[in-house]
């Protein structure tokens, strides 16, 4: 805790002043560009990965970056997604999985979490992804299966996300784009899924056209 307390003091005395205008503007409201759904794993630092500032991401985190399918039962994920879609009108949603995910290791090996009833029930929302891996990767190594599960879980959670009425409305009016990412902790690589093929590609390839629009290529003489 002393490290965290020192950090808070440093933020207030040094960092805040460097971004004072930004924080004063944010005090009046927020208009984030994306909902970012990530795992609670402490190794996944969303602001560092995306190089974003306060006010740019509306972040939802839980074990396994899971989105339960929509039901009439109210839950934190359901309510927060509804708020982001219906009030904030956020134009993008990113579901980001990551390597070495403990939640998915539990999903692949349910006996490890049999003594954790709430965890076991929550991780059950990844069960269909496990079944896909068991069907398609019978001859793969455990490491290869986990890599596939990380990706299949993102694809599954995108499908769950589309069962939420507030999301479907925004998709129907083409006011929302959903993205599926996976982050490799060891290499720092981020890949994005092509929903048409189900294949994952490095973000610089997947978003090549968009990246050129944001960062135009240099012309001769510059």
């Amino acid at each position: 805790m002393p490290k965290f307390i020192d950090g808070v003091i440093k933020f207030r005395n040094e960092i805040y002043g460097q971004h004072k205008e930004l924080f004063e503007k944010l005090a009046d409201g927020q208009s984030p560009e994306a909902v970012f759904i990530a795992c609670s794993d402490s190794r996944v630092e969303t602001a560092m990965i995306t190089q974003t500032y306060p006010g740019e991401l509306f972040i939802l985190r839980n074990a396994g970056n899971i989105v339960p399918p929509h039901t009439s039962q109210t839950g934190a994920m359901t309510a927060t997604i509804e708020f982001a879609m219906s009030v904030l009108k956020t134009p993008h949603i990113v579901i980001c999985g990551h390597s070495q995910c403990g939640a998915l290791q539990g999903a692949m090996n349910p006996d490890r979490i049999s003594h954790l009833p709430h965890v076991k029930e929550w991780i059950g929302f990844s069960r269909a992804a496990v079944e896909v891996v068991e069907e398609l990767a019978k001859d793969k190594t455990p490491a290869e299966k986990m890599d596939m599960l990380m990706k299949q879980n993102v694809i599954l959670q995108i499908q769950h996300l589309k069962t939420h009425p507030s999301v479907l409305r925004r998709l129907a009016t083409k006011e929302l784009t959903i993205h599926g990412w996976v982050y490799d902790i060891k290499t720092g690589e981020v890949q994005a899924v092509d929903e048409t093929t189900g294949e994952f590609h490095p973000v610089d390839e997947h978003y090549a056209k968009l990246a050129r629009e944001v960062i135009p290529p240099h012309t001769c003489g510059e």
Side-chain angles (χ1 to χ4, degrees):
M1 282 304 293
K3 179 180 178 180
F4 303 150
I5 294 169
D6 286 344
V8 172
I9 295 171
K10 180 178 179 180
F11 167 75
R12 186 63 187 90
N13 292 340
E14 300 177 27
I15 306 301
Y16 175 84
Q18 298 173 16
H19 304 282
K20 188 171 184 294
E21 291 184 5
L22 171 61
F23 287 114
E24 289 177 344
K25 179 181 178 181
L26 291 175
D28 294 328
Q30 61 173 322
S31 183
E33 183 174 353
V35 174
F36 201 93
I37 300 173
C39 185
S40 297
D41 194 301
S42 62
R43 299 167 294 177
V44 179
E45 175 41 58
T46 56
M48 186 176 289
I49 294 169
T50 59
Q51 290 294 286
T52 49
Y53 283 93
E56 295 182 320
L57 293 180
F58 191 74
I59 301 173
L60 290 73
R61 301 187 68 155
N62 62 63
N65 43 274
I66 285 170
V67 179
H70 184 269
T71 67
S72 58
Q73 183 177 354
T74 298
M77 288 296 293
T78 299
T80 310
I81 288 168
E82 182 179 70
F83 179 81
M85 294 294 97
S86 301
V87 178
L88 298 179
K89 308 290 186 183
T90 308
H92 297 274
I93 299 178
V94 178
I95 299 181
C96 184
H98 71 95
S99 61
Q100 305 302 317
C101 180
L104 294 186
Q105 290 172 355
M108 185 69 80
N109 303 280
D111 288 345
R112 295 183 183 178
I113 56 174
S114 60
H115 63 297
L116 302 171
H118 295 292
V119 173
K120 183 178 179 180
E121 183 175 355
W122 179 254
I123 299 305
F125 291 119
S126 292
R127 182 60 201 171
V130 174
E131 293 177 357
V132 170
V133 172
E134 290 176 343
E135 183 65 28
L136 299 181
K138 296 177 181 178
D139 299 325
K140 300 293 184 180
T141 66
E144 290 171 329
K145 288 181 179 180
M146 283 305 304
D147 181 73
M148 180 181 288
L149 179 56
M150 168 182 64
K151 296 172 180 176
Q152 287 297 325
N153 183 56
V154 167
I155 293 172
L156 175 63
Q157 304 313 321
I158 290 175
Q159 294 176 4
H160 290 173
L161 188 60
K162 292 179 180 179
T163 68
H164 290 249
S166 60
V167 171
L168 280 176
R169 287 196 300 271
R170 300 292 304 290
L171 287 172
T173 56
K174 302 188 184 303
E175 297 175 298
L176 175 67
T177 303
I178 297 176
H179 311 261
W181 292 3
V182 292
Y183 165 58
D184 190 308
I185 295 172
K186 186 174 183 178
T187 67
E189 182 176 47
V190 178
Q191 296 184 333
V193 67
D194 181 335
E195 281 202 73
T196 303
T197 64
E199 297 294 325
F200 283 77
H201 305 282
V203 292
D204 54 345
E205 296 178 13
H206 183 77
Y207 299 106
K209 182 179 179 181
L210 181 61
R212 286 195 297 270
E213 293 174 357
V214 174
I215 307 175
H218 289 293
T219 57
C220 294
E222 291 187 335

